[in-house]
Structures are given as C-alpha cells and as structure tokens.
Amino acid sequence: MIRRLRGVFSDDLSIDLGTANTLIYVRGKGIVLNEPSVVAIRSERGSGSGQSIAAVGEKAKQMLGRTPAHIIAIRPLKDGVIAEFTVTEKMLQYFIHKVHENRFLRPSPRVLVCVPCGSTQVERRAIRESVLGAGAREVYLIEEPMAAAIGAGLPVSEASGSMVLDIGGGTTEVAVISLNGIVYSESVRIGGDRFDEAIISYVRRNYGTLIGEATAERIKHEVGSAYPGNEVKEIEVRGRNLAEGIPRNFMLNSNEILEALQEPLSGIITAVKTALEQTPPELGSDVSERGMILTGGGALLRDLDRLIMEETSIPVLLADEPLTCVARGGGLALEMVDQKGIDIFAPE
Amino acid sequence: MRSKTTVTVPQANSHTTPGSGGGKGPGKQLREARQLRDLTIDDIAMRLRLDSATVCNLEEENYDNLPEPAFIRGYLRAYARSLGLDPEPVLSSFGDYDLTPPSLIRDIANSPQIRSSHIAVRVTTYLITFCLIALMFSWWQNRMPLSDGVVEQKPPAPQNRASNPESLSHQEVRTATDVRVFPSSNRPHIPENVVTDMHASHRPSNDIDRKNSMTRQPETDVATLLGVENFPEPGFSPLAPAESMLFTTSSLPEQTGTLTTRHPKVTSDVPMTPQAVPEMDHLMLYLSEDCWLEIYDGYGKKLYYQTGFGGKTYEFLGSGPFHIMLGYARGAKVVYNGELFDHTPYIQRELAEFSLGN
C-alpha cells in the first residue's frame, strides 16, 4: 500500500543498465541520467570490516586506476550482466534517487530494464532482484535489440523484417524483428570494452608500454577507426614503459588502432553474417532492401557502418543518437505496459 | 520479395515543403553536392548499397516511396557523409517534414499520460493533504480541553428539571475518557448560595458532551464542574444569587449511567443511595481577583491547574487533604467544609501554598 502511494509520486523509468554507461529515461523528460556504471567503494580503516560507497558514476569513473589502497573503483557489470550484485544494487539505488531528488517520499517507481538477449535466466533474475532491491515497485525486462529498434524508430510491429545491430560496452546484439517479436537474435560478448582491451594489448605488444583503460578509451574515441580512410589521425599517448619502468610519450595513428581492433571487429562481422544466414528469406529480403540500423555506443566508432556495409553488401544506417536508443526505446515500451495485446517484454 | 528494378521518374512531391520557406530541402542539398562532385545517382547507390530509385526518391524528396522515417534519416546521413558533408544540416531540414512514425510508436505517442505532474494528481494530492491537516487539527483541538482531566457539565433546561425530578437523581460526572453517574446525595453539603443557580453561561466547549460516550471504566478519578460565574463578594449570603464551579474527585466503583444533568438545588432533595462512596471533603474558593490555582486532592490528583477568574467561585469535592497553591492569595477566600479558612499566614509575596484536611 505504501509502495503504491510512493509510486504515485514516482516517475516510471526505463534503465539501460549497460556495462559502460547507465542511462535512465523518463517519459516527458527524456534521458535524465547518463553516467558511467562505475562505483568506488571505500573500505573502512581500523575497526570493523565495513565498506561504504565513496562515489558513483562520473566521479567514480575519474577514480578508475587512481585509487589508494582503501578505495577500489569497480565496474559492477561485465559483459552486459551483473558481476557484483550488491554493488549494482547500490548503484541503481543511487541513480533512482538521483532522478527523483527533491521528492518528499522515497521513490518507488515502475522500472523497465534492458537486458542482453543472450543473458541467462539466472542473470535476468539477478538484474530483477537488484532493481527491486534498489526500491523499484515493479520490474519489467526487455531485450536490448527490441528496445534499440523501438528507440531507433523501426517499424517493429509491422510484418517486415527490421535488423538492428546494437554494439554496447560489453555485448553486441544483433536481431531481426518483425511483428513485435524477435525472429532471430544473437549476442556476442564483444563491445567497447573489448575494443579498449585490444588497444591496450596492441600498445603493450608493439610499444612495450602499459596504458590504462581510460587512456585506451580516449584513443578509441579520438583516432579509433574501423575502416581505412584517406585521413590518418594521430594522438600522443603517455604510458609506462615496461622495460624502463618510467612513463614515456609516444604517437599512435588511426591505422594502428584499426589494426588493433581487427580481432573484435571480425567477431562482430561474423555475428552479423551469421544473423543474415539464419534469417528467414522474406525477412532477409526486407533487410537487404532497407538496410540494418546501427545503435549503441560502439556505433560511434568511425566508419564502422562502412566496414559492415562492405562486408555484407547491405545498407548500414546509423541511428539518431545511437547511445540513447536503448533507453529511449525502453521508455517507449514502458508506456505499453498497461496495454493489452502487446507482448514486447522479455520473460525472466 | 519486393522488386525495384527500374529507376522511375520521380513524381511530384506529395509532402509539403518545409515551413522554412526559401530553405532548401535535404534532397536538393544532396543533389547539388553530388552534381558539384560530378557523381551520378548510380555512383551514390553503389556507395550506399541502395537502389538507384531510392537515391532518386531521396533527392526528389518523394518520401511516400521510401520506408519509415528512421530509414530515410539513415539514408540521408549516409548520403551526406559519402559526399563529405556534415549530415546535421541535411537532417535538420528533413526534420521539418511531418512524417508518420511507425504504428507502435504512434500508438505510444497517442496513449493518455497520467503522471505525478498531472493537474488531477496534483489537485487530489492537495485535497488529501488538506483533509489530513484538518483532521489532525480537529483531533488536537478536541484533545486540548481534556488535558487537565477536568470537563464541564452541560446544564439542562430548567423546566425539564422541574417537571421530571427523577431524571435528576443522578449528576453528570465526566472525565477525560469517561462519563459516570455520581449519586448527588453522596455529595457533602454545599451552601445553597453557591449552588442556587446553575444557569452557567461560560462553557469551554460542548464538544465533550458529544465525544464522551457512556462507557465503563473501573476506578476512575472523576471531576465535575458546575460552572456558574459572577459570584458576588463572598459574604455567605444565603439569598445571594450566585454562580459557582464545582469540581469533585473520587475513586468510584464501576458504574454505568445515562448522561443527565441536574440542578444542584434539586439534587440535594434526592434521597441518598446506598452505594459505597468514600467521604468527600468540600473546598470552595471565592476569588475577587484573577488568581492562579493549583488544587490537588489527597491522592495527588490534579483537580485544577489554571487561572481562576475574579468574581467567580470554584468548588471542589474530593478526598482530602487538599493541597492548594494560590498565585494571588490576597484575592482569594478559602472555605473548607463550610468553614472559612484563614490562609494569610501562608502568604509569601502574594503566593500561598498550603494543605487542608487530614
């Protein structure tokens, strides 16, 4: 009863609980929160074994790799699913409270969470329990490709095939959707994190230098490329030389990063090709004619659409605001919760 | 499988041009850029892996022959990038067209919205809050007069008392939580000049009469007020019309009764009932000036704890000894069990504190 009362004063939320970023969408307001899925935990010194949250989100991300011994900055989600249950719960609690600040009552919203289509039943249950523990009144799950397709404005309810490729921080989801249902979907555990790891690995192998995740991410954003172009960009990087043990500066260019990203990119291409192979021919024809839509933060990698287009020979189109497609689509789907006859939600 | 094998001659645009008036549409911008680079429609179609007809429709802004707006925006973006253009101006000019979104999204957009910021929700919230505040205020108001454990008695109509003496055999005795019947005959003698007229005009609240139900409560201290005011200077004139306030306290056995009122003068004629009621002492205070009063009975029960007003008489019935504190002792006269008590020896700087009785 009290939860229902609190629910009246809470906004229903759509949460894109991503490996890299968590986005929260509120109807009528749009994306109200976009913060890194990072939590900094402080271990209490001296007496007791208590731990407390030092920072969440952007502040915690700034601490990554820069923490003293008694603070650890962790990312509680790995490969699109929960790796640290309690920490995820605390992080969600913080985010939900943050979007409801200035409210008299503690919020108890209905929450829709986007989950990878390849997540297991146990992983989905963990997400549900975590969101409930964070104060949600009701929890609905939707598969990320469906949310991405709705957010991108694809005609998911029509009898025509719509293909969506959502490249997130931890996973890449590819799906063919028709008549409000997923006809085929596949999730590969390759995403922005794997791109960063590939860059770190490349730099260590070729330059004998160790760089951190934040540096690798910066390199990816500034000179990362998925297809060789006419323009070659360069970036100056600082890392610890493994032989000398001291920091050194060196230059990296976009062609080197392209080389570094070959392995994860080929994994994505393989997943797309497999999806096209497995798609029923009628739907495949629709996809071939109209093209596939690219969403997610990974879609912002330069010329990724061109790479996929060259590899598959079908049009590849970048969605509007690809980073927020999933959250926006989840928000739109949340409006359909109370409507009969529309079953776009994922079973647990 | 849908087929589009030939490049059709674009038809006239079925959509209105953007409201920007003289601004170029996205198709015109792209066509001019393409022609500047000496590229054909087929070249663009090859780059984008699209049909030539689709590219042609894009340039002619013939959106009826193209898929949903999400795809059109993707085509425009890809087309602009393939020409080395910034896609944002092209897309912003496309945004001026009011194209129909996909059906599911259209349904969502048309579904009714009731959010916490909705006016109906806000008004309901304010109403509920107001009602809660009003209820709390009402409860607090009703609770205040009972805090001292002293309540007043509602006087009956004089003619009723005269016509139905049997109904006057009981007096109303009320506490903060209970209303009891107290046999008036057990009361000690009260000078008639004090209880002659009970047409009290000062009643703190009549709500208590409505609120206090007739319930059982064993061994409850009770107090009665027979309020009359404007008592003249206490000269003990038996004929003087007087109004007084009478308070009684007693630990009574459990009794049940009906809510009645009485005239003290009449009740003195009612025969004594055999119920066991302890001996009670009688205390009267005549005030010529306003005076703070604190009266406790022999059990330490607080009988009165507020300002007494000048010109009024206050009577108390209860088990002695009474412990009395007078804030302005020179403005009060004390009568205990019908005898005037001289309390002047106890006065210290206008204040007197003493005990009466055994």
Side-chain angles (χ1 to χ4, degrees), chain A residues 27 157 290 318 320 336, chain B residues 73 75 77 103 108 113:
Chain A
R27 189 185 186 191
S157 61
R290 299 188 305 184
L318 199 60
D320 290 333
M336 313 301 284
Chain B
R73 292 179 69 84
Y75 297 155
R77 181 183 287 107
S103 57
I108 293 169
Q113 298 183 47

Side-chain angles (χ1 to χ4, degrees), chain A residues 6-7 9 17 20 27 38 45-46 61 72 81 85 142 159 196 201 203 210 219 230 249 263 300-301 330 346:
Chain A
R6 280 163 38 201
F9 298 95
L17 189 59
R27 189 185 186 191
V38 185
R45 287 173 168 166
K61 190 182 180 184
I72 50 169
V81 294
F85 184 85
I142 188 171
D196 296 342
S201 176
V203 169
L210 196 62
I219 294 168
N230 297 328
N249 292 4
E263 187 189 342
L300 296 173
L301 184 65

Side-chain angles (χ1 to χ4, degrees), chain A residues 27 150 154-158 180 331-344, chain B residues 99-113:
Chain A
R27 189 185 186 191
I150 295 172
L154 298 185
V156 293
S157 61
E158 293 175 11
N180 288 331
L332 291 170
L334 192 57
E335 305 297 335
M336 313 301 284
V337 164
D338 298 325
Q339 295 194 17
K340 303 287 183 188
I342 296 176
D343 189 16
I344 54 177
Chain B
L99 299 180
T100 310
S103 57
L104 177 68
I105 297 169
R106 190 170 60 240
D107 293 344
I108 293 169
N110 294 333
S111 62
Q113 298 183 47

Side-chain angles (χ1 to χ4, degrees), chain A residues 152-232:
Chain A
L154 298 185
V156 293
S157 61
E158 293 175 11
S160 62
S162 301
M163 187 167 180
V164 63
L165 178 64
D166 178 49
I167 304 173
T171 59
T172 292
E173 320 271 330
V174 55
V176 178
I177 297 165
S178 177
L179 293 170
N180 288 331
I182 293 178
V183 178
Y184 172 84
S185 69
E186 189 180 352
S187 177
V188 289
R189 303 208 164 184
I190 299 170
D193 289 349
R194 285 287 297 276
F195 294 164
D196 296 342
E197 289 169 14
I199 292 170
I200 293 169
S201 176
Y202 178 87
V203 169
R204 187 170 53 198
R205 192 169 60 244
N206 291 280
Y207 288 87
T209 305
L210 196 62
I211 58 171
E213 284 180 25
T215 306
E217 193 176 6
R218 187 169 62 86
I219 294 168
K220 180 180 69 179
H221 287 159
E222 295 190 13
V223 301
S225 175
Y227 195 79
N230 297 328
E231 185 187 5
V232 177

Side-chain angles (χ1 to χ4, degrees), chain A residues 252-319:
Chain A
L252 280 174
N253 64 45
S254 53
N255 285 337
E256 289 175 302
I257 302 306
L258 174 62
E259 186 184 341
L261 297 178
Q262 282 308 303
E263 187 189 342
L265 287 175
S266 63
I268 291 173
I269 297 297
T270 305
V272 172
K273 285 182 176 175
T274 307
L276 290 170
E277 286 172 14
Q278 301 291 326
T279 304
E282 289 297 327
L283 298 178
S285 168
D286 294 337
V287 172
S288 170
E289 183 186 333
R290 299 188 305 184
M292 75 173 76
I293 297 284
L294 208 53
T295 67
L300 296 173
L301 184 65
R302 191 155 56 104
D303 289 335
L304 180 61
D305 54 339
R306 193 169 174 196
L307 171 70
I308 300 169
M309 198 158 56
E310 294 295 333
E311 293 286 338
T312 60
S313 293
I314 63 171
V316 178
L317 313 169
L318 199 60

